[in-house]
Amino acid sequence: FPSLPFPSQKPKSELVRTSLRLLTSSAYRLQSECKKTLPVETCPTTDIQLVTQQVIQCAYDIAKAAKQLVTITTKENNN
């Protein structure tokens, strides 16, 4: 998984840190869930419907975190 293009310094804002944590954890979860759909990883007990729901939830969490970061950044830049 490639490193994310975030500044190496720890963000000062707790909101930014929280959003970044949600973004990165959701991205890792998304990767893990998507791997379950690969033929090599798929086993007879894999519930594709459940995996699909998990992928949708991960994508939602990523979008939510991205929106939070955009909102925070926009507010900080306007001040």
Side-chain angles (χ1 to χ4, degrees):
F1 201 78
S3 61
L4 298 172
F6 297 123
S8 59
Q9 293 181 357
K10 190 175 183 180
K12 294 176 185 177
S13 166
E14 182 59 35
L15 286 174
V16 171
R17 288 195 300 272
T18 300
S19 296
L20 289 175
R21 279 193 296 272
L22 177 60
L23 186 61
T24 54
S25 66
S26 298
Y28 284 116
R29 278 184 48 226
L30 179 61
Q31 181 185 37
S32 173
E33 294 297 331
C34 287
K35 279 185 179 179
K36 293 177 185 176
T37 65
L38 297 175
V40 175
E41 298 281 331
T42 305
C43 65
T45 59
T46 300
D47 183 347
I48 295 300
Q49 187 173 10
L50 178 60
V51 171
T52 301
Q53 290 173 350
Q54 293 298 322
V55 167
I56 292 168
Q57 183 61 51
C58 292
Y60 173 82
D61 290 341
I62 289 169
K64 179 180 172 183
K67 182 179 179 185
Q68 288 172 349
L69 288 171
V70 168
T71 300
I72 294 163
T73 304
T74 302
K75 285 181 182 178
E76 287 178 355
N77 290 340
N78 287 337
N79 288 336

